[in-house]
Amino acid sequence: GENVEQHPSTLSVQEGDSAVIKCTYSDSASNYFPWYKQELGKRPQLIIDIRSNVGEKKDQRIAVTLNKTAKHFSLHITETQPEDSAVYFCAASKSGGSYIPTFGRGTSLIVHP
Amino acid sequence: DTGVSQDPRHKITKRGQNVTFRCDPISEHNRLYWYRQTLGQGPEFLTYFQNEAQLEKSRLLSDRFSAERPKGSFSTLEIQRTEQGDSAMYLCASSWSLAANTGELFFGEGSRLTVL
């Protein structure tokens, strides 16, 4: 089955700095890569996703890049703000059929004011 | 419809007891997932329904675990003869398989189980 590795487990930055979280996946057939944000005590929520036919996607201060050859993808957050503090999970899956996302272990992002 | 709801939010039980969790998905969603999350880990897949059919179960799901989704609406997850290792957050998620943005899971807030 799919295996997703996520690094780092904890990331501490100053407000205004950039943050990068990296994930690798094992199944070359995976073609859909979402990122979820989970604030303390709350449910995970999708913040951005990318499909394998695209190399990069941006949405305001967040962006995701995908390298299919190397089987890794990354989340980039620019101009971090304290409200970005949360746990971020990457996931990988094959769309269509039994779509079952496999999640990474999560990255706890702490943004210091 | 305010999203995916789960009940109870917290459950404390003694080892050996049975527990049942309920999930009410977003009404138009045809897919429903159960995940388990422990501290410092990402959600681990347990089982998945498309409408009322249970299509896949993880090897993590021992014989003590059973899930149902009668009539393709709400779902229940039952754990029999609970063990301390079952202590975790049980997350339910739903999605619509034919939407343009297929793949997004909408999570509930989870049911936290503590087995003493």
Side-chain angles (χ1 to χ4, degrees):
Chain A
E2 176 65 273
N3 182 50
V4 176
E5 299 286 338
Q6 183 172 349
H7 300 279
S9 57
T10 305
L11 181 58
S12 183
V13 300
Q14 289 296 126
E15 183 176 0
D17 287 350
S18 294
V20 180
I21 302 170
K22 298 182 179 181
C23 290
T24 60
Y25 60 99
S26 61
D27 188 345
S28 57
S30 289
N31 58 6
Y32 176 67
F33 307 92
W35 287 87
Y36 288 82
K37 176 183 180 181
Q38 186 174 28
E39 297 178 7
L40 190 63
K42 297 192 176 180
R43 70 190 77 194
Q45 291 188 298
L46 182 75
I47 54 170
I48 195 168
D49 56 14
I50 191 167
R51 299 183 187 274
S52 60
N53 58 348
V54 175
E56 183 175 1
K57 184 177 179 180
K58 288 184 179 181
D59 183 3
Q60 299 182 347
R61 295 187 298 108
I62 60 174
V64 58
T65 58
L66 171 65
N67 183 326
K68 287 186 293 183
T69 303
K71 291 190 283 189
H72 68 70
F73 56 112
S74 301
L75 177 70
H76 304 253
I77 306 174
T78 58
E79 300 173 21
T80 53
Q81 301 168 3
E83 52 265 37
D84 294 330
S85 296
V87 179
Y88 292 80
F89 296 99
C90 62
S93 69
K94 291 171 276 197
S95 62
S98 291
Y99 164 77
I100 301 172
T102 299
F103 286 84
R105 294 178 64 170
T107 296
S108 178
L109 174 64
I110 303 165
V111 181
H112 299 281
Chain B
D1 192 323
T2 57
V4 179
S5 61
Q6 293 187 242
D7 184 71
R9 294 290 310 282
H10 299 94
K11 178 72 176 179
I12 300 173
T13 191
K14 293 182 179 179
R15 188 176 55 186
Q17 298 295 303
N18 300 341
V19 297
T20 299
F21 301 115
R22 176 180 170 126
C23 171
D24 286 273
I26 293 172
S27 57
E28 62 267 27
H29 284 180
N30 57 352
R31 293 187 175 185
L32 187 147
Y33 302 78
W34 285 98
Y35 280 84
R36 180 170 66 190
Q37 186 177 25
T38 53
L39 194 63
Q41 302 291 322
E44 293 178 294
F45 170 73
L46 293 179
T47 190
Y48 144 71
F49 292 84
Q50 176 138 337
N51 301 313
E52 67 276 11
Q54 187 174 20
L55 296 186
E56 283 204 36
K57 292 194 295 186
S58 166
R59 283 170 289 181
L60 293 174
L61 216 63
S62 76
D63 292 345
R64 298 184 296 106
F65 288 70
S66 62
E68 295 182 339
R69 192 184 182 196
K71 303 179 182 178
S73 56
F74 72 92
S75 176
T76 58
L77 176 69
E78 181 183 17
I79 308 173
Q80 296 182 326
R81 305 181 303 281
T82 52
E83 302 173 355
Q84 288 183 327
D86 298 331
S87 295
M89 177 74 82
Y90 290 85
L91 290 168
C92 175
S94 68
S95 71
W96 174 238
S97 65
L98 298 180
N101 290 325
T102 185
E104 178 177 2
L105 299 188
F106 293 82
F107 283 91
E109 295 198 340
S111 293
R112 182 170 296 284
L113 173 65
T114 301
V115 182
L116 302 177

